Amino acid sequence: MVERIEALVIGAGQAGVAMSEHLGKNHIPHLVLERQRIAERWRTSRWDSLVANGPAWHDRFPGLLIPGFGPDAFVPKEQMADYFEAYAAMINAPIRCGVEVQEVRRNSIGRPGFVAETSEGQIEANYVIVATGAFQRPVMPALVPESAGLTQLHSNAYRNPAQLPEGAVLVVGSGSSGVQIADELVSAGRRVYLSVGAHDRPPRRYRGRDFVWWLGVLNKWDAEAPPSTDHVTIAVSGAHGGHTVDFRRLAERGATLLGKTESFHDGVLHLAPDLAQNLVHGDKNYLSVLDEADVYIERNGLTLPADPDARTIPADPDCVTHPILHLNMQEAGVTAIIWATGFAADYSWLKLDTFTEKGAPKHQRGVAAEPGLYFLGLPWQSRRGSSFIWGVWHDAKFLSDHISKQRGYLAYGSE
Ligand SMILES: Cc1cc2nc3c(=O)[nH]c(=O)nc-3n(C[C@H](O)[C@H](O)[C@H](O)COP(=O)(O)OP(=O)(O)OC[C@H]3O[C@@H](n4cnc5c(N)ncnc54)[C@H](O)[C@@H]3O)c2cc1C
């Protein structure tokens, strides 16, 4: 028996739930398959203390407030997962959990649509929406061999400080994950080395408004292309009620900052001489947001309080003025490395000719080169906000409307 459905959504994270809402509104019969539970990654692929990076008024879907949290609260990860579960129930999303899609291929020539091989049999669909997440496969550079005898884990496997062996910890990566994990380890009394690459670090708040508000009014969430072709991580945190990430203050609290991790030989980690430069780049990004905010306030005559302290950049600590370029791990007492080095996608199960040589989906705003196939939740799918909670909801609407239009064309002549 082959089950048939008009549209098949694969994955029930926030993207799959948003897609279901819009397909439902467009009266498109559909099914969402989720191999684990709704919003599984919020429950089990993140560290224990993680909270959403944006406040509750922003990091949500339009149709439902996050129950139990004020607008400015940063919602803990479990409650974020509960929220998406509640949202799916509210919209009666037809989600089937515990079913893995193992392969998708095109139907044979002469028939439209796709066939999905799942852990519970075959399903045919005219439209397939891949909502399996942008942050799927942890990327861990193979720099330090197992023979070095260090505990090594990716940030997605980090849970809390007690999980790590005694001793100092090296955290590699200066995006939101790396900096928050380093902060937590310092607070837990651990000796921390933090390898800082190029990063942006927008202010958490400025002149009484959160950075998500500033990115909104300054039209940066809707920016359609990254400001540069180089990938630059963003260091922002909702921890402890939300605070601006400041690497120098982390150093004041005991962390030792290092430049970019380059290589490892005979027990020694080699660092690039770029720490000061990376911090200056982060400062520039930080100050540019303040400048743009000031111009916006003046231009629009807003009465927001002044915030002169925001422009104070602390002096460089010793680890910046005298950077460590070679770190002997044993002498430094390092017993563990946490690689906060990002994620890649894995579409090996999609047996379709719709990928670039580097394995990235060929698409326009999520509409794949392969007719009938769609991607949702990709970074910069249509705008900066695309892989974030509020942004994916808008992209899902666009895709659902696209499917609706296609169905309209196909119905031509049949009325
Ligand atoms: C550490 C971290 C913190 C983040 N914090 C925020 C934040 O605060 N605010 C924000 O807006 N964004 C945040 N993001 C970015 C983004 O919102 C999340 O990554 C979010 O989980 C992405 O949702 P998604 O639905 O696109 O993908 P996912 O949440 O990854 O969901 C994909 C789902 O697909 C399922 N799946 C995968 N393959 C298959 C298959 N073959 N068959 C069936 N099911 C399958 C998975 O089990 C999973 O449930 C964060 C990301 C990370 C990594």
Side-chain angles (χ1 to χ4, degrees), residues 123-136:
I123 300 183
E124 280 193 6
N126 282 331
Y127 301 94
V128 166
I129 302 98
V130 179
T132 50
F135 308 97
Q136 295 172 25

Side-chain angles (χ1 to χ4, degrees), residues 346-414:
D346 178 7
Y347 298 116
S348 52
W349 49 277
L350 264 180
K351 307 293 179 200
L352 296 163
D353 180 20
T354 189
F355 298 98
T356 64
E357 275 173 16
K358 288 186 175 166
K362 282 189 211 158
H363 73 96
Q364 200 179 350
R365 293 187 69 177
V367 180
E370 176 83 47
L373 183 72
Y374 297 82
F375 290 91
L376 183 58
L378 303 178
W380 293 94
Q381 176 159 321
S382 70
R383 69 195 87 199
R384 168 183 263 153
S386 285
S387 58
F388 298 99
I389 293 167
W390 71 270
V392 84
W393 192 89
H394 293 280
D395 284 346
K397 180 172 186 332
F398 175 81
L399 296 190
S400 176
D401 289 346
H402 191 277
I403 294 172
S404 213
K405 277 182 273 177
Q406 288 296 315
R407 294 178 86 219
Y409 284 119
L410 291 174
Y412 174 77
S414 64

Side-chain angles (χ1 to χ4, degrees), residues 10-17 33-42 45-47 50-54 59 80 99-102 131-136 155 177 343 349 376-378 387-390 392:
I10 306 172
Q14 62 209 30
V17 174
L33 295 183
E34 165 57 52
R35 65 181 170 198
Q36 291 168 298
R37 294 172 293 176
I38 294 170
E40 181 68 31
R41 288 217 168 93
W42 281 99
S45 295
R46 312 269 155 84
W47 60 95
L50 178 75
V51 298
N53 254 336
D59 276 20
M80 277 319 308
V99 184
E100 180 168 30
V101 175
Q102 293 154 339
T132 50
F135 308 97
Q136 295 172 25
S155 57
S177 296
F343 296 82
W349 49 277
L376 183 58
L378 303 178
S387 58
F388 298 99
I389 293 167
W390 71 270
V392 84

Side-chain angles (χ1 to χ4, degrees), residues 101-280:
V101 175
Q102 293 154 339
E103 188 176 298
V104 173
R105 54 182 191 276
R106 254 220 102 81
N107 268 329
S108 47
I109 300 280
R111 289 175 62 216
F114 304 87
V115 59
E117 300 290 345
T118 84
S119 50
E120 295 194 351
Q122 278 190 345
I123 300 183
E124 280 193 6
N126 282 331
Y127 301 94
V128 166
I129 302 98
V130 179
T132 50
F135 308 97
Q136 295 172 25
R137 193 168 49 77
V139 171
M140 248 168 89
L143 287 180
V144 182
E146 258 183 56
S147 58
L150 298 162
T151 298
Q152 298 191 56
L153 56 150
H154 188 269
S155 57
N156 87 325
Y158 169 77
R159 291 293 163 269
N160 54 56
Q163 164 198 22
L164 303 174
E166 279 189 21
V169 185
L170 166 69
V171 180
V172 183
S174 49
S176 299
S177 296
V179 74
Q180 289 181 67
I181 291 170
D183 185 330
E184 174 164 282
L185 291 168
V186 169
S187 297
R190 303 297 288 255
R191 178 109 187 78
V192 174
Y193 292 87
L194 176 60
S195 171
V196 179
H199 60 270
D200 284 352
R201 57 168 195 104
R204 175 77 263 174
R205 272 183 214 96
Y206 183 55
R207 301 187 67 175
R209 292 282 192 271
D210 193 88
F211 103 97
V212 298
W213 190 87
W214 284 117
L215 259 57
V217 295
L218 296 173
N219 202 31
K220 291 181 189 295
W221 282 125
D222 276 324
E224 289 180 7
S228 99
T229 48
D230 300 332
H231 175 71
V232 175
T233 55
I234 296 191
V236 67
S237 169
H240 321 301
H243 63 279
T244 298
V245 167
D246 189 327
F247 291 93
R248 295 180 187 87
R249 295 216 190 282
L250 197 58
E252 277 169 17
R253 289 177 41 223
T256 302
L257 307 179
L258 307 170
K260 192 170 182 227
T261 298
E262 283 197 327
S263 61
F264 178 88
H265 301 290
D266 301 328
V268 178
L269 190 75
H270 299 274
L271 293 316
D274 61 357
L275 175 58
Q277 180 192 322
N278 292 339
L279 294 184
V280 167

Side-chain angles (χ1 to χ4, degrees), residues 306-325:
D307 194 353
D309 290 350
R311 290 190 179 268
T312 310
I313 306 271
D316 280 343
D318 189 57
C319 56
V320 178
T321 49
H322 301 91
I324 298 173
L325 298 180

